[in-house]
Amino acid sequence: MTQPLEPLRMLSTLRSHGVAFVLVGETAIAARGGPIDFEAVEICIPEDQQNLRRVCLALQHLGAIPVGPDAADRSSYQTVAGGLDVIELRDGFAELSERGSDENLGNGLVARVASMADLTEMARDAGDLAGVVTLAALETDVVHIVMEHEDEFGPTREAHSGPRWVDRLLVRLEGVDEFLTRTVYRDEHQMRS
């Protein structure tokens, strides 16, 4: 039976056991302001025997049960706090951690979160187009967009907030309806046979 995901409980347990980790994946995207919609917490850990012992103790504390096939550098667990994916980095953990930043995840829990650039690269490597798009949207500044449209009561102005690329797209699409109407019905007499 799948346990409900409690990321703060899981990460607090890892922190309380002194586990060195960097938060990655959808959980890290959520920590950076993305959607809070993920099925498991993903962390990267260094290849360090002492840290591995701490991870094992934390997993025991969380009642972890291995799920799925383990890869050479990745393992997945079902815990009392939900799913946990552990990625062991042989090389590059120090750089990943250095490029990341400490983020307050709530309830006083501070964890190291991978940088936006590293998250984007990981999403691309995994073929996660939705993750790449989400990260790109998070990196652009949010601007105030005013949409004008006409309804049965006359012209209406509607305020929206969104990334700048949406504003540019809306400006380009402003006249599409009128353009298509002119193109299709411009010379009706020429369309007849």
Side-chain angles (χ1 to χ4, degrees):
M1 180 178 185
T2 305
Q3 295 292 327
L5 188 60
E6 300 177 73
L8 294 182
R9 178 180 176 191
M10 188 181 309
L11 295 171
S12 293
T13 302
L14 291 166
R15 294 287 304 205
S16 70
H17 283 85
V19 175
F21 68 90
V22 175
L23 194 58
V24 295
E26 292 175 339
T27 317
I29 294 172
R32 295 255 179 237
I36 303 174
D37 182 29
F38 45 89
E39 296 175 8
V41 172
E42 290 180 78
I43 61 169
C44 282
I45 61 171
E47 186 181 49
D48 170 346
Q49 290 304 314
Q50 197 170 28
N51 196 54
L52 286 173
R53 282 193 282 279
R54 291 183 191 127
V55 170
C56 289
L57 288 172
L59 289 173
Q60 286 175 350
H61 186 120
L62 290 166
I65 300 169
V67 292
D70 285 347
D73 59 350
R74 184 184 187 109
S75 54
S76 299
Y77 303 91
Q78 185 60 44
T79 75
V80 295
L84 174 65
D85 293 330
V86 179
I87 303 163
E88 188 177 350
L89 292 181
R90 288 178 171 67
D91 299 319
F93 179 83
E95 293 82 12
L96 178 70
S97 182
E98 187 177 309
R99 288 187 301 267
S101 61
D102 289 334
E103 300 294 330
N104 185 344
L105 303 179
N107 295 338
L109 175 65
V110 175
R112 196 76 173 166
V113 179
S115 70
M116 294 291 274
D118 285 327
L119 291 172
T120 302
E121 184 179 331
M122 289 175 188
R124 279 192 188 115
D125 290 346
D128 178 13
L129 182 60
V132 172
V133 169
T134 299
L135 287 160
L138 288 173
E139 286 187 304
T140 60
D141 293 331
V142 174
V143 295
H144 190 67
I145 299 170
V146 175
M147 300 275 298
E148 291 186 31
H149 65 278
E150 195 164 321
D151 57 16
E152 67 264 18
F153 303 109
T156 306
R157 291 176 63 94
E158 197 174 304
H160 292 281
S161 290
R164 269 187 254 164
W165 66 268
V166 172
D167 189 30
R168 290 191 302 267
L169 177 66
L170 292 173
V171 168
R172 287 182 184 210
L173 294 178
E174 260 179 11
V176 168
D177 245 2
E178 184 180 330
F179 171 77
L180 290 175
T181 302
R182 278 192 319 237
T183 302
V184 172
Y185 298 109
R186 174 179 42 184
D187 294 330
E188 246 183 287
H189 58 85
Q190 289 180 358
M191 295 174 74
R192 295 181 195 153
S193 32

